[in-house]
Amino acid sequence: MSLPDLSSLWLTARLAFVTTLVLLAIGTPLAWWLAQTKSRFKPAIEALIALPLVLPPTVLGFYLLIAMSPNAPFGGFWLQATGDKLSFSFTGLVIGAVIFSFPFL
């Protein structure tokens, strides 16, 4: 009897940890700013944050895959800056998880 492959569990734990750290680092100051500001951009930023709640996950994932592809502006910039592709990488997975989880923070 062999041990099961634990790589998927390790990936999930690492993704949860990194996503939580990123969400706390970005979300806490943003939440404070949204609670305190009287800016005219507040409704637009709130709508942008809530967007993953109204988009189906498959649509959100499709748009993220397109945005992270090397042919898209964001994905192309990332490829030029780091030499790595975002689509189907751990960094891309973290970005997707952060975007998807942001409204729940």
Side-chain angles (χ1 to χ4, degrees):
M1 188 157 116
S2 64
L3 290 174
D5 186 18
L6 299 176
S7 62
S8 60
L9 290 174
W10 170 243
L11 176 68
T12 303
R14 199 169 59 146
L15 175 66
F17 180 74
V18 172
T19 301
T20 302
L21 288 180
V22 171
L23 284 172
L24 286 174
I26 295 172
T28 305
L30 182 62
W32 179 86
W33 181 79
L34 285 172
Q36 302 295 324
T37 190
K38 304 249 189 277
S39 173
R40 63 184 176 145
F41 298 110
K42 181 179 176 179
I45 292 173
E46 287 175 337
L48 190 64
I49 290 170
L51 198 59
L53 287 175
V54 296
L55 285 176
T58 53
V59 172
L60 183 62
F62 177 72
Y63 287 150
L64 286 174
L65 273 176
I66 289 179
M68 291 183 198
S69 74
N71 299 332
F74 180 65
F77 169 75
W78 188 269
L79 183 63
Q80 289 283 327
T82 65
D84 291 330
K85 293 191 291 186
L86 268 179
S87 54
F88 303 107
S89 68
F90 183 74
T91 306
L93 190 60
V94 169
I95 292 171
V98 166
I99 290 172
F100 183 78
S101 302
F102 210 77
F104 302 109
L105 179 66

